[in-house]
Amino acid sequence: MPAQDPLTIGGRTFTSRLMLGTGKFCDFGVMREALEASGTQIVTVAIRRVELSAPGHAGLLDALDLDRYQLLPNTAGCRTAEEAVRVARLARAATGVNWVKLEVIPDARWLLPDPVGTLRAAETLVGDGFTVLPYVQPDAVLARALERAGCATVMPLASPIGSGRGLRTGELLRTVLDGATVPIVVDAGLGVPSDAAQALEGGADAVLVNTAIAEAHDPVGMAHAFALGVQAGRAAFLAGRMAEREGASPSSPVVGVPRLPDPEAVDVG
Amino acid sequence: MQVNGQTHPHREGLTLHALLRELNVQPERVAVAVGDDFYPGARVPDRPLEAHDTIEIVRIIGGG
């Protein structure tokens, strides 16, 4: 792998291709250690109302080294473009960061994103100066439209959010990768490091993982494992995979193999 | 007046600063919206509030 293989998003350059979410961790200490072990440089967070009946409990922002990580607030929970735009603006006010992981998800069962609402919200937010990273289904036509709208990445799902079912959208992902002009970040549904490796091997530029690490028996160990999976996948992509064949093809030469005399052969000499 | 989706009593002369004090919200590390005006918590202006205002006070939490 070349010594320099940076990932550039919204004018910022990163050496890690693994983004991490901060949900579902049992405590901030484990979360911080997992972030460290993953080598991530981009960290997602969510925005929620302050609980007015019990205010004052410790905020996540205090637990994060903001000089070290690019914060990526999300619009999770927003069902319409209008809600997502509003939450993005609140996130910018709360963090001073103008990056947003745009989620417009009206479907509570499968958490599938609304492509029309996502594009509309993306257009508004790009116009408002945001660096927009939209979460979408792997749809090449939508991906190109989001690129034209000025999005910094496109983030197609591997399988439903939090399912850990791995890369179930590989064929569609290929169509999103073909001709992409912005980084493609596979987000949602990755369960194990080989899922991440598979995404990177196929040409994805990065992956975003949360539940697979937070719900692992050892989140810090799994964060390290995902870092290795991403590195392996990227190295394999750059090295270029062999062509697939229908049948077998021996690796050793087929001529000159030492043979025993054939017991069936009759010596008539 | 609506505050974080709940009805909150409005009184004449109430300001945003007074509301945050009343709710015991430390302004750092939060963001506040009054209608379509968005403010970082540390730079919330002491604007008068009206009975029809909708106010959101939010913070960052873990998410993916």
Side-chain angles (χ1 to χ4, degrees), chain A residues 21-23 44-52 55 57 60-62 66 74 86 89-90 93-95 101 103 208 210, chain B residues 3-6 23-25 29-36 38-41 54 56-64:
Chain A
T22 53
T44 53
V45 296
I47 310 296
R48 289 294 178 268
R49 286 170 167 165
V50 170
E51 293 140 36
L52 297 175
H57 75 88
L60 172 68
L61 275 188
D62 300 309
L66 298 179
N74 68 31
R86 189 170 175 79
R89 287 171 177 163
L90 278 166
T95 62
K101 181 186 162 193
E103 298 184 31
L208 196 156
N210 190 160
Chain B
V3 181
N4 280 4
Q6 305 285 319
L23 295 171
N24 198 25
V25 171
R29 303 292 197 200
V30 302
V32 177
V34 181
D36 290 330
F38 299 86
Y39 306 111
T54 299
E56 295 273 7
I57 308 164
V58 303
R59 64 190 169 89
I60 301 298
I61 67 159

Side-chain angles (χ1 to χ4, degrees), chain A residues 37-236:
Chain A
S38 75
T40 190
Q41 294 164 303
I42 302 176
V43 172
T44 53
V45 296
I47 310 296
R48 289 294 178 268
R49 286 170 167 165
V50 170
E51 293 140 36
L52 297 175
S53 54
H57 75 88
L60 172 68
L61 275 188
D62 300 309
L64 285 173
D65 180 354
L66 298 179
D67 293 331
R68 184 165 172 186
Y69 300 115
Q70 168 69 51
L71 216 53
L72 177 57
N74 68 31
T75 64
C78 293
R79 297 158 301 181
T80 65
E82 291 72 24
E83 284 182 352
V85 167
R86 189 170 175 79
V87 166
R89 287 171 177 163
L90 278 166
R92 180 165 62 181
T95 62
V97 168
N98 68 356
W99 283 41
V100 63
K101 181 186 162 193
L102 175 60
E103 298 184 31
V104 180
I105 302 181
D107 162 36
R109 177 163 161 75
W110 295 103
L111 298 179
L112 293 175
D114 167 8
V116 177
T118 303
L119 179 58
R120 266 199 5 249
E123 287 167 343
T124 301
L125 290 170
V126 169
D128 204 12
F130 280 89
T131 296
V132 181
L133 292 77
Y135 171 67
V136 291
Q137 298 197 54
D139 176 327
V141 176
L142 174 64
R144 298 296 96 80
L146 288 164
E147 290 171 11
R148 285 195 300 276
C151 290
T153 67
V154 174
M155 303 179 79
L157 62 91
S159 49
I161 291 174
S163 69
R165 291 168 60 82
L167 191 58
R168 299 302 180 103
T169 53
E171 292 297 316
L172 290 170
L173 179 62
R174 285 177 54 198
T175 68
V176 172
L177 289 167
D178 182 28
T181 58
V182 297
I184 302 299
V185 184
V186 172
D187 179 11
L190 301 183
V192 284
S194 56
D195 298 333
Q198 198 183 350
L200 274 284
E201 283 164 11
D205 296 278
V207 294
L208 196 156
V209 181
N210 190 160
T211 305
I213 290 173
E215 291 189 354
H217 176 67
D218 171 8
V220 179
M222 189 58 87
H224 175 61
F226 263 96
L228 297 175
V230 166
Q231 287 166 25
R234 179 64 181 177

